Amino acid sequence: MTTRTRVTVEPRACMADPQLDVMNFLNEAVMEFPAAVSFAPGRPREDLFDVRGHVQSLDEYVRRVAAIPHSGGADAVWQAMGQYGPTNGVCAEAIARHLRVDEGIDVDPRAIMVTVGAQEAMAILVAGLCEPERDVLLVSHPTYIGITGIARVLGVRVIPVESDDDGLDPERVERVIGALPAPARVRAVYDIPDFNNPLGTSMPVERRRALLEVCRRAGVLVIEDNPYGRYVYDHAPRPTIKSLDAEATCIYVGTFSKTLFPGLRVGYLVADQEVVSSGRTLAEELSRVKSLITVNTPPLLQAIVADALERHDGRLGPLIAEKVERCKRQRDAMLAALAAQLGDLVPTVSWNVPSGGFFLTVTLPFPFGVPELRECAKQFGVVVSPMTFFCVDGSRSNQIRLAFSYVGPDRIAAGVSRLAAFIRHRIAAGDAGAGA
Amino acid sequence: MTTRTRVTVEPRACMADPQLDVMNFLNEAVMEFPAAVSFAPGRPREDLFDVRGHVQSLDEYVRRVAAIPHSGGADAVWQAMGQYGPTNGVCAEAIARHLRVDEGIDVDPRAIMVTVGAQEAMAILVAGLCEPERDVLLVSHPTYIGITGIARVLGVRVIPVESDDDGLDPERVERVIGALPAPARVRAVYDIPDFNNPLGTSMPVERRRALLEVCRRAGVLVIEDNPYGRYVYDHAPRPTIKSLDAEATCIYVGTFSKTLFPGLRVGYLVADQEVVSSGRTLAEELSRVKSLITVNTPPLLQAIVADALERHDGRLGPLIAEKVERCKRQRDAMLAALAAQLGDLVPTVSWNVPSGGFFLTVTLPFPFGVPELRECAKQFGVVVSPMTFFCVDGSRSNQIRLAFSYVGPDRIAAGVSRLAAFIRHRIAAGDAGAGA
């Protein structure tokens, strides 16, 4: 058979937006410079993943389920995991219990939809809630590219709301909502309050309450995305926005990618709002969209989640203690290396001190874009993410995001040393004034 | 904590379309009438799923992969399955081999994207190819509700092209394309040529060639959805449209839901078209959309697919022989029961004889909609699908779809007997003239 290249096609015009390809770009940069230290991808280290353990534990999990009356026995339980299942999933009770004991979030399992990673939850929320061309999604800014990317594909307008050192500012949110002329309608505000991606900030509790109040009054939903909240290093975990939400203003998005392992691809959304027309929860109503995207989340992977949670009475703590401790050590190593290598350049060069999560922000006295990424990787052996990658408006050209989640302490010291060499080289070359 | 029901929301207006809820409706009807025989859901029988066997085989699969030089050993292979992976998947080579040996489709693995079931492939194709408000998707009609549903959510206009006893008619497709006024543009034609869902028809080979030619000339893509092609009973498998496609006019959508098990949620698309602007395959280009919906398909489930295919040199035959034989017996049982119970009413009542797949069509002398579905389930103990469920225009009100894939031969006989009782009851009540 000949190669099939005669008919050619172009995808939709919006697909050419380079923002849609940031994740691929970062991965490719890492592959292009294999000897470089990579602070680019925000992923956990795989040496603590117990994938085989979780898979082998399924046999025992099935025995436990099969012991429940009317379960039909072990063969039936295995077979049921092979069949089509309920659109919104089968491990919602285990997740509801986890949310109650770990997060102080008390919701009916019918308000939970299990999704193929948190990303599918975002796709479902934007597709199910936002009318293209009319509805507007506010995002804390800079922001996770998965939310702005899917909004772009779905034709939903995004308005950025600039974050400060404490994350999203509710007063700014209120002003942006108030300034928007009809018939545009702000449908929701998206944020990662706990250890923001990309900034590394954590929102103070007063702001969480204020954001809820602003949005409640305006009839706007808060979408709280919380992948990193369990990775807390310097203080007690702050209450999630959802746990403070007495009036169903907030939709919560969770994931097991950073607590169990990302390849699991199991996330969820909590939408306990009542849909007036049907009397059902918003999560139940959104099952119509879920059924048209992935039909249902693979039951085998939901079983891994249910099994892991059940074995620890709903608590993730025992499962992730070592991962959190490791990530804290890596953060400490990065902060120590930054102080040692760049301390004399403060405040020309500066960085924040995240109290949890995977990321921190470095502010430079010169712009750092794709050319700098390439030069830094090729000549200096370290890959970092320009902050502009996470901006819808090309702002923050003088900042970079460093992920300390993936590289061990020794490599972190080496990588920061290389980054410092690049920064000094650029400053010496006279770039210091360009954007300082 | 109080219940959170004060703030209420409505999803997008298009979500109220009952067509978006057909799958849930059918499942609920089945649950509402547990004693009824259900010919509604088009699902395989789970007693032949070897879920546990596939899971247990992963250990041996990992050992095989770990024996490959530079794989890093078994621990590294397990850990890699836990990490984020390439957007388009890691089992494309195994699928490419399967397509070559089983389907005569010869494509580069770079033209394959592994998806979370075939449904995600459809979501990605519509979102990535069709400009809302401008591009038009033609669908053979009646059709699979997953394609019209996702088009609806994504704001893409669907035009139905009526099928006949041989499925989609290429001349009709050509006429519809020719009649569409600019700036509307037909982007693709969707069909299930092999054992159509819902009709049960199979497209003759000449029509397959003619459809390719019509679409190639018009610059329109063919989307060939092939979940049922391996379930062939009465003749040699007909060549897939993709296997006849020398000039990349066709995008092929496959799934392992009916051959391995549906809970696996692994499907794929083959898009070997060249994207002019990038020089990459369309499948590679569409990874931008995939990364914004599910990031990547769970590697553990891709490993189950790769393992199963590798153990049989890429052939599905040995894995599905018993399933196909069983389904053929069920089709035979249904045809025998229809002849025995309703033969005297032909041609007032009639049905087609599918040569494969999961479904057949019965034509009645009266309309069959939701009230009839309920009456038939409640009073007569059998659940069937009104064909209007699969129509975007309310047509075919006198037809029903019967699935013979899920119910064993004895229950099939009982179910058809109950259905015959309902039909005779309705005819006796004088409905015969209503829509005959």
Side-chain angles (χ1 to χ4, degrees), chain B residues 319-349:
Chain B
L319 279 159
I320 63 168
E322 194 175 347
K323 292 174 184 170
V324 175
E325 177 56 29
R326 174 94 69 91
C327 209
K328 178 184 188 297
R329 282 207 305 273
Q330 290 168 191
R331 179 208 58 166
D332 294 342
M334 185 169 275
L335 289 172
L338 285 166
Q341 299 286 337
L342 290 164
D344 62 310
L345 290 180
V346 174
T348 307
V349 175

PDB file of all heavy atoms in Angstrom, chain B residues 319-349:
ATOM      1  N   LEU B 319      -8.961 -14.208  20.643  1.00  0.00           N
ATOM      2  CA  LEU B 319      -9.480 -13.606  21.868  1.00  0.00           C
ATOM      3  C   LEU B 319     -10.995 -13.499  21.856  1.00  0.00           C
ATOM      4  O   LEU B 319     -11.626 -13.419  22.913  1.00  0.00           O
ATOM      5  CB  LEU B 319      -8.900 -12.199  22.041  1.00  0.00           C
ATOM      6  CG  LEU B 319      -7.492 -12.101  22.631  1.00  0.00           C
ATOM      7  CD1 LEU B 319      -6.857 -10.779  22.268  1.00  0.00           C
ATOM      8  CD2 LEU B 319      -7.554 -12.271  24.152  1.00  0.00           C
ATOM      9  N   ILE B 320     -11.584 -13.456  20.671  1.00  0.00           N
ATOM     10  CA  ILE B 320     -13.012 -13.144  20.613  1.00  0.00           C
ATOM     11  C   ILE B 320     -13.856 -14.251  19.990  1.00  0.00           C
ATOM     12  O   ILE B 320     -15.078 -14.111  19.897  1.00  0.00           O
ATOM     13  CB  ILE B 320     -13.271 -11.824  19.841  1.00  0.00           C
ATOM     14  CG1 ILE B 320     -12.823 -11.938  18.385  1.00  0.00           C
ATOM     15  CG2 ILE B 320     -12.594 -10.647  20.517  1.00  0.00           C
ATOM     16  CD1 ILE B 320     -13.301 -10.791  17.518  1.00  0.00           C
ATOM     17  N   ALA B 321     -13.221 -15.369  19.614  1.00  0.00           N
ATOM     18  CA  ALA B 321     -13.961 -16.413  18.884  1.00  0.00           C
ATOM     19  C   ALA B 321     -15.222 -16.822  19.643  1.00  0.00           C
ATOM     20  O   ALA B 321     -16.319 -16.904  19.057  1.00  0.00           O
ATOM     21  CB  ALA B 321     -13.052 -17.617  18.651  1.00  0.00           C
ATOM     22  N   GLU B 322     -15.086 -17.050  20.953  1.00  0.00           N
ATOM     23  CA  GLU B 322     -16.236 -17.527  21.713  1.00  0.00           C
ATOM     24  C   GLU B 322     -17.307 -16.435  21.821  1.00  0.00           C
ATOM     25  O   GLU B 322     -18.509 -16.711  21.755  1.00  0.00           O
ATOM     26  CB  GLU B 322     -15.777 -17.979  23.104  1.00  0.00           C
ATOM     27  CG  GLU B 322     -16.835 -18.793  23.821  1.00  0.00           C
ATOM     28  CD  GLU B 322     -16.353 -19.347  25.161  1.00  0.00           C
ATOM     29  OE1 GLU B 322     -15.127 -19.305  25.416  1.00  0.00           O
ATOM     30  OE2 GLU B 322     -17.214 -19.803  25.941  1.00  0.00           O
ATOM     31  N   LYS B 323     -16.860 -15.198  21.985  1.00  0.00           N
ATOM     32  CA  LYS B 323     -17.822 -14.094  22.068  1.00  0.00           C
ATOM     33  C   LYS B 323     -18.618 -13.957  20.776  1.00  0.00           C
ATOM     34  O   LYS B 323     -19.835 -13.741  20.798  1.00  0.00           O
ATOM     35  CB  LYS B 323     -17.081 -12.774  22.349  1.00  0.00           C
ATOM     36  CG  LYS B 323     -16.445 -12.693  23.726  1.00  0.00           C
ATOM     37  CD  LYS B 323     -15.609 -11.407  23.864  1.00  0.00           C
ATOM     38  CE  LYS B 323     -14.911 -11.390  25.217  1.00  0.00           C
ATOM     39  NZ  LYS B 323     -13.917 -10.314  25.335  1.00  0.00           N
ATOM     40  N   VAL B 324     -17.925 -14.079  19.652  1.00  0.00           N
ATOM     41  CA  VAL B 324     -18.600 -13.934  18.360  1.00  0.00           C
ATOM     42  C   VAL B 324     -19.583 -15.092  18.147  1.00  0.00           C
ATOM     43  O   VAL B 324     -20.728 -14.891  17.731  1.00  0.00           O
ATOM     44  CB  VAL B 324     -17.565 -13.870  17.212  1.00  0.00           C
ATOM     45  CG1 VAL B 324     -18.266 -13.843  15.860  1.00  0.00           C
ATOM     46  CG2 VAL B 324     -16.668 -12.640  17.379  1.00  0.00           C
ATOM     47  N   GLU B 325     -19.143 -16.290  18.483  1.00  0.00           N
ATOM     48  CA  GLU B 325     -19.996 -17.471  18.317  1.00  0.00           C
ATOM     49  C   GLU B 325     -21.264 -17.325  19.179  1.00  0.00           C
ATOM     50  O   GLU B 325     -22.375 -17.600  18.735  1.00  0.00           O
ATOM     51  CB  GLU B 325     -19.187 -18.717  18.732  1.00  0.00           C
ATOM     52  CG  GLU B 325     -19.959 -20.023  18.686  1.00  0.00           C
ATOM     53  CD  GLU B 325     -20.570 -20.310  17.329  1.00  0.00           C
ATOM     54  OE1 GLU B 325     -19.990 -19.846  16.322  1.00  0.00           O
ATOM     55  OE2 GLU B 325     -21.651 -20.951  17.270  1.00  0.00           O
ATOM     56  N   ARG B 326     -21.074 -16.841  20.387  1.00  0.00           N
ATOM     57  CA  ARG B 326     -22.207 -16.635  21.288  1.00  0.00           C
ATOM     58  C   ARG B 326     -23.187 -15.606  20.722  1.00  0.00           C
ATOM     59  O   ARG B 326     -24.401 -15.812  20.730  1.00  0.00           O
ATOM     60  CB  ARG B 326     -21.676 -16.160  22.642  1.00  0.00           C
ATOM     61  CG  ARG B 326     -22.745 -15.773  23.645  1.00  0.00           C
ATOM     62  CD  ARG B 326     -23.115 -16.904  24.558  1.00  0.00           C
ATOM     63  NE  ARG B 326     -22.016 -17.192  25.448  1.00  0.00           N
ATOM     64  CZ  ARG B 326     -21.865 -16.633  26.661  1.00  0.00           C
ATOM     65  NH1 ARG B 326     -22.762 -15.764  27.094  1.00  0.00           N
ATOM     66  NH2 ARG B 326     -20.862 -16.963  27.430  1.00  0.00           N
ATOM     67  N   CYS B 327     -22.636 -14.530  20.214  1.00  0.00           N
ATOM     68  CA  CYS B 327     -23.498 -13.469  19.729  1.00  0.00           C
ATOM     69  C   CYS B 327     -24.259 -13.915  18.470  1.00  0.00           C
ATOM     70  O   CYS B 327     -25.419 -13.558  18.273  1.00  0.00           O
ATOM     71  CB  CYS B 327     -22.661 -12.214  19.454  1.00  0.00           C
ATOM     72  SG  CYS B 327     -23.577 -10.679  19.651  1.00  0.00           S
ATOM     73  N   LYS B 328     -23.585 -14.715  17.655  1.00  0.00           N
ATOM     74  CA  LYS B 328     -24.258 -15.276  16.466  1.00  0.00           C
ATOM     75  C   LYS B 328     -25.437 -16.162  16.898  1.00  0.00           C
ATOM     76  O   LYS B 328     -26.533 -16.078  16.341  1.00  0.00           O
ATOM     77  CB  LYS B 328     -23.262 -16.105  15.649  1.00  0.00           C
ATOM     78  CG  LYS B 328     -23.880 -16.779  14.410  1.00  0.00           C
ATOM     79  CD  LYS B 328     -22.854 -17.654  13.701  1.00  0.00           C
ATOM     80  CE  LYS B 328     -23.380 -18.188  12.373  1.00  0.00           C
ATOM     81  NZ  LYS B 328     -24.539 -19.071  12.498  1.00  0.00           N
ATOM     82  N   ARG B 329     -25.217 -16.984  17.911  1.00  0.00           N
ATOM     83  CA  ARG B 329     -26.310 -17.842  18.400  1.00  0.00           C
ATOM     84  C   ARG B 329     -27.475 -16.996  18.899  1.00  0.00           C
ATOM     85  O   ARG B 329     -28.645 -17.346  18.719  1.00  0.00           O
ATOM     86  CB  ARG B 329     -25.810 -18.756  19.527  1.00  0.00           C
ATOM     87  CG  ARG B 329     -25.005 -19.946  19.038  1.00  0.00           C
ATOM     88  CD  ARG B 329     -25.087 -21.140  19.999  1.00  0.00           C
ATOM     89  NE  ARG B 329     -24.701 -20.788  21.367  1.00  0.00           N
ATOM     90  CZ  ARG B 329     -23.442 -20.804  21.811  1.00  0.00           C
ATOM     91  NH1 ARG B 329     -22.455 -21.163  21.005  1.00  0.00           N
ATOM     92  NH2 ARG B 329     -23.172 -20.489  23.050  1.00  0.00           N
ATOM     93  N   GLN B 330     -27.148 -15.883  19.537  1.00  0.00           N
ATOM     94  CA  GLN B 330     -28.208 -15.010  20.044  1.00  0.00           C
ATOM     95  C   GLN B 330     -28.957 -14.332  18.890  1.00  0.00           C
ATOM     96  O   GLN B 330     -30.178 -14.184  18.941  1.00  0.00           O
ATOM     97  CB  GLN B 330     -27.616 -13.984  21.012  1.00  0.00           C
ATOM     98  CG  GLN B 330     -27.180 -14.656  22.310  1.00  0.00           C
ATOM     99  CD  GLN B 330     -26.331 -13.806  23.232  1.00  0.00           C
ATOM    100  OE1 GLN B 330     -25.770 -14.319  24.181  1.00  0.00           O
ATOM    101  NE2 GLN B 330     -26.194 -12.526  22.952  1.00  0.00           N
ATOM    102  N   ARG B 331     -28.212 -13.931  17.859  1.00  0.00           N
ATOM    103  CA  ARG B 331     -28.889 -13.381  16.683  1.00  0.00           C
ATOM    104  C   ARG B 331     -29.820 -14.434  16.082  1.00  0.00           C
ATOM    105  O   ARG B 331     -30.984 -14.170  15.770  1.00  0.00           O
ATOM    106  CB  ARG B 331     -27.871 -12.937  15.625  1.00  0.00           C
ATOM    107  CG  ARG B 331     -28.577 -12.378  14.391  1.00  0.00           C
ATOM    108  CD  ARG B 331     -27.780 -12.558  13.128  1.00  0.00           C
ATOM    109  NE  ARG B 331     -27.474 -13.967  12.855  1.00  0.00           N
ATOM    110  CZ  ARG B 331     -27.025 -14.413  11.700  1.00  0.00           C
ATOM    111  NH1 ARG B 331     -26.817 -13.574  10.690  1.00  0.00           N
ATOM    112  NH2 ARG B 331     -26.758 -15.700  11.534  1.00  0.00           N
ATOM    113  N   ASP B 332     -29.303 -15.677  15.948  1.00  0.00           N
ATOM    114  CA  ASP B 332     -30.121 -16.749  15.376  1.00  0.00           C
ATOM    115  C   ASP B 332     -31.374 -16.983  16.222  1.00  0.00           C
ATOM    116  O   ASP B 332     -32.469 -17.178  15.690  1.00  0.00           O
ATOM    117  CB  ASP B 332     -29.300 -18.041  15.284  1.00  0.00           C
ATOM    118  CG  ASP B 332     -28.152 -17.912  14.279  1.00  0.00           C
ATOM    119  OD1 ASP B 332     -28.206 -16.989  13.434  1.00  0.00           O
ATOM    120  OD2 ASP B 332     -27.213 -18.725  14.356  1.00  0.00           O
ATOM    121  N   ALA B 333     -31.193 -16.936  17.524  1.00  0.00           N
ATOM    122  CA  ALA B 333     -32.338 -17.144  18.421  1.00  0.00           C
ATOM    123  C   ALA B 333     -33.371 -16.042  18.229  1.00  0.00           C
ATOM    124  O   ALA B 333     -34.590 -16.292  18.230  1.00  0.00           O
ATOM    125  CB  ALA B 333     -31.865 -17.197  19.876  1.00  0.00           C
ATOM    126  N   MET B 334     -32.882 -14.820  18.055  1.00  0.00           N
ATOM    127  CA  MET B 334     -33.820 -13.709  17.896  1.00  0.00           C
ATOM    128  C   MET B 334     -34.559 -13.814  16.563  1.00  0.00           C
ATOM    129  O   MET B 334     -35.781 -13.613  16.504  1.00  0.00           O
ATOM    130  CB  MET B 334     -33.107 -12.368  18.009  1.00  0.00           C
ATOM    131  CG  MET B 334     -34.075 -11.188  17.971  1.00  0.00           C
ATOM    132  SD  MET B 334     -33.289  -9.626  18.405  1.00  0.00           S
ATOM    133  CE  MET B 334     -33.410  -9.659  20.191  1.00  0.00           C
ATOM    134  N   LEU B 335     -33.828 -14.150  15.515  1.00  0.00           N
ATOM    135  CA  LEU B 335     -34.478 -14.289  14.202  1.00  0.00           C
ATOM    136  C   LEU B 335     -35.488 -15.437  14.224  1.00  0.00           C
ATOM    137  O   LEU B 335     -36.600 -15.315  13.690  1.00  0.00           O
ATOM    138  CB  LEU B 335     -33.424 -14.520  13.109  1.00  0.00           C
ATOM    139  CG  LEU B 335     -32.555 -13.297  12.773  1.00  0.00           C
ATOM    140  CD1 LEU B 335     -31.425 -13.702  11.822  1.00  0.00           C
ATOM    141  CD2 LEU B 335     -33.404 -12.178  12.157  1.00  0.00           C
ATOM    142  N   ALA B 336     -35.125 -16.546  14.874  1.00  0.00           N
ATOM    143  CA  ALA B 336     -36.037 -17.686  14.957  1.00  0.00           C
ATOM    144  C   ALA B 336     -37.294 -17.312  15.744  1.00  0.00           C
ATOM    145  O   ALA B 336     -38.418 -17.643  15.349  1.00  0.00           O
ATOM    146  CB  ALA B 336     -35.327 -18.878  15.609  1.00  0.00           C
ATOM    147  N   ALA B 337     -37.098 -16.588  16.823  1.00  0.00           N
ATOM    148  CA  ALA B 337     -38.238 -16.195  17.653  1.00  0.00           C
ATOM    149  C   ALA B 337     -39.136 -15.207  16.911  1.00  0.00           C
ATOM    150  O   ALA B 337     -40.376 -15.312  16.986  1.00  0.00           O
ATOM    151  CB  ALA B 337     -37.747 -15.596  18.973  1.00  0.00           C
ATOM    152  N   LEU B 338     -38.535 -14.285  16.189  1.00  0.00           N
ATOM    153  CA  LEU B 338     -39.333 -13.327  15.423  1.00  0.00           C
ATOM    154  C   LEU B 338     -40.168 -14.065  14.380  1.00  0.00           C
ATOM    155  O   LEU B 338     -41.361 -13.793  14.205  1.00  0.00           O
ATOM    156  CB  LEU B 338     -38.425 -12.294  14.744  1.00  0.00           C
ATOM    157  CG  LEU B 338     -37.832 -11.215  15.665  1.00  0.00           C
ATOM    158  CD1 LEU B 338     -36.695 -10.464  14.955  1.00  0.00           C
ATOM    159  CD2 LEU B 338     -38.910 -10.228  16.135  1.00  0.00           C
ATOM    160  N   ALA B 339     -39.539 -15.033  13.691  1.00  0.00           N
ATOM    161  CA  ALA B 339     -40.260 -15.789  12.667  1.00  0.00           C
ATOM    162  C   ALA B 339     -41.395 -16.592  13.297  1.00  0.00           C
ATOM    163  O   ALA B 339     -42.524 -16.620  12.783  1.00  0.00           O
ATOM    164  CB  ALA B 339     -39.291 -16.713  11.922  1.00  0.00           C
ATOM    165  N   ALA B 340     -41.102 -17.200  14.441  1.00  0.00           N
ATOM    166  CA  ALA B 340     -42.107 -18.040  15.087  1.00  0.00           C
ATOM    167  C   ALA B 340     -43.254 -17.207  15.652  1.00  0.00           C
ATOM    168  O   ALA B 340     -44.430 -17.583  15.560  1.00  0.00           O
ATOM    169  CB  ALA B 340     -41.456 -18.863  16.207  1.00  0.00           C
ATOM    170  N   GLN B 341     -42.922 -16.065  16.237  1.00  0.00           N
ATOM    171  CA  GLN B 341     -43.925 -15.276  16.957  1.00  0.00           C
ATOM    172  C   GLN B 341     -44.660 -14.276  16.076  1.00  0.00           C
ATOM    173  O   GLN B 341     -45.774 -13.869  16.393  1.00  0.00           O
ATOM    174  CB  GLN B 341     -43.249 -14.508  18.103  1.00  0.00           C
ATOM    175  CG  GLN B 341     -42.586 -15.378  19.140  1.00  0.00           C
ATOM    176  CD  GLN B 341     -43.598 -16.050  20.042  1.00  0.00           C
ATOM    177  OE1 GLN B 341     -44.724 -15.575  20.192  1.00  0.00           O
ATOM    178  NE2 GLN B 341     -43.244 -17.187  20.601  1.00  0.00           N
ATOM    179  N   LEU B 342     -43.988 -13.829  15.014  1.00  0.00           N
ATOM    180  CA  LEU B 342     -44.554 -12.725  14.234  1.00  0.00           C
ATOM    181  C   LEU B 342     -44.593 -13.014  12.735  1.00  0.00           C
ATOM    182  O   LEU B 342     -44.994 -12.147  11.945  1.00  0.00           O
ATOM    183  CB  LEU B 342     -43.746 -11.432  14.491  1.00  0.00           C
ATOM    184  CG  LEU B 342     -43.900 -10.831  15.889  1.00  0.00           C
ATOM    185  CD1 LEU B 342     -42.796  -9.816  16.159  1.00  0.00           C
ATOM    186  CD2 LEU B 342     -45.287 -10.169  16.046  1.00  0.00           C
ATOM    187  N   GLY B 343     -44.187 -14.237  12.354  1.00  0.00           N
ATOM    188  CA  GLY B 343     -44.094 -14.572  10.927  1.00  0.00           C
ATOM    189  C   GLY B 343     -45.411 -14.376  10.189  1.00  0.00           C
ATOM    190  O   GLY B 343     -45.440 -13.938   9.033  1.00  0.00           O
ATOM    191  N   ASP B 344     -46.516 -14.666  10.861  1.00  0.00           N
ATOM    192  CA  ASP B 344     -47.823 -14.547  10.210  1.00  0.00           C
ATOM    193  C   ASP B 344     -48.221 -13.098   9.961  1.00  0.00           C
ATOM    194  O   ASP B 344     -49.140 -12.833   9.196  1.00  0.00           O
ATOM    195  CB  ASP B 344     -48.898 -15.228  11.064  1.00  0.00           C
ATOM    196  CG  ASP B 344     -49.026 -14.561  12.437  1.00  0.00           C
ATOM    197  OD1 ASP B 344     -47.979 -14.376  13.102  1.00  0.00           O
ATOM    198  OD2 ASP B 344     -50.153 -14.208  12.838  1.00  0.00           O
ATOM    199  N   LEU B 345     -47.539 -12.158  10.625  1.00  0.00           N
ATOM    200  CA  LEU B 345     -47.893 -10.736  10.458  1.00  0.00           C
ATOM    201  C   LEU B 345     -47.078 -10.056   9.359  1.00  0.00           C
ATOM    202  O   LEU B 345     -47.327  -8.887   9.038  1.00  0.00           O
ATOM    203  CB  LEU B 345     -47.714  -9.982  11.775  1.00  0.00           C
ATOM    204  CG  LEU B 345     -48.723 -10.329  12.878  1.00  0.00           C
ATOM    205  CD1 LEU B 345     -48.433  -9.514  14.138  1.00  0.00           C
ATOM    206  CD2 LEU B 345     -50.163 -10.078  12.416  1.00  0.00           C
ATOM    207  N   VAL B 346     -46.078 -10.757   8.806  1.00  0.00           N
ATOM    208  CA  VAL B 346     -45.305 -10.182   7.693  1.00  0.00           C
ATOM    209  C   VAL B 346     -46.229  -9.995   6.506  1.00  0.00           C
ATOM    210  O   VAL B 346     -47.026 -10.887   6.228  1.00  0.00           O
ATOM    211  CB  VAL B 346     -44.128 -11.119   7.324  1.00  0.00           C
ATOM    212  CG1 VAL B 346     -43.400 -10.599   6.066  1.00  0.00           C
ATOM    213  CG2 VAL B 346     -43.158 -11.261   8.499  1.00  0.00           C
ATOM    214  N   PRO B 347     -46.225  -8.874   5.788  1.00  0.00           N
ATOM    215  CA  PRO B 347     -45.282  -7.749   5.900  1.00  0.00           C
ATOM    216  C   PRO B 347     -45.800  -6.590   6.753  1.00  0.00           C
ATOM    217  O   PRO B 347     -45.164  -5.546   6.748  1.00  0.00           O
ATOM    218  CB  PRO B 347     -45.146  -7.298   4.453  1.00  0.00           C
ATOM    219  CG  PRO B 347     -46.516  -7.522   3.889  1.00  0.00           C
ATOM    220  CD  PRO B 347     -47.108  -8.702   4.626  1.00  0.00           C
ATOM    221  N   THR B 348     -46.922  -6.776   7.468  1.00  0.00           N
ATOM    222  CA  THR B 348     -47.391  -5.683   8.340  1.00  0.00           C
ATOM    223  C   THR B 348     -46.333  -5.371   9.389  1.00  0.00           C
ATOM    224  O   THR B 348     -46.087  -4.214   9.720  1.00  0.00           O
ATOM    225  CB  THR B 348     -48.713  -6.092   9.029  1.00  0.00           C
ATOM    226  OG1 THR B 348     -49.634  -6.502   8.020  1.00  0.00           O
ATOM    227  CG2 THR B 348     -49.303  -4.955   9.833  1.00  0.00           C
ATOM    228  N   VAL B 349     -45.745  -6.448   9.912  1.00  0.00           N
ATOM    229  CA  VAL B 349     -44.574  -6.316  10.785  1.00  0.00           C
ATOM    230  C   VAL B 349     -43.402  -6.936  10.034  1.00  0.00           C
ATOM    231  O   VAL B 349     -43.570  -7.994   9.421  1.00  0.00           O
ATOM    232  CB  VAL B 349     -44.793  -7.062  12.123  1.00  0.00           C
ATOM    233  CG1 VAL B 349     -43.534  -7.036  12.980  1.00  0.00           C
ATOM    234  CG2 VAL B 349     -45.991  -6.475  12.867  1.00  0.00           C
TER     235      VAL B 349
END
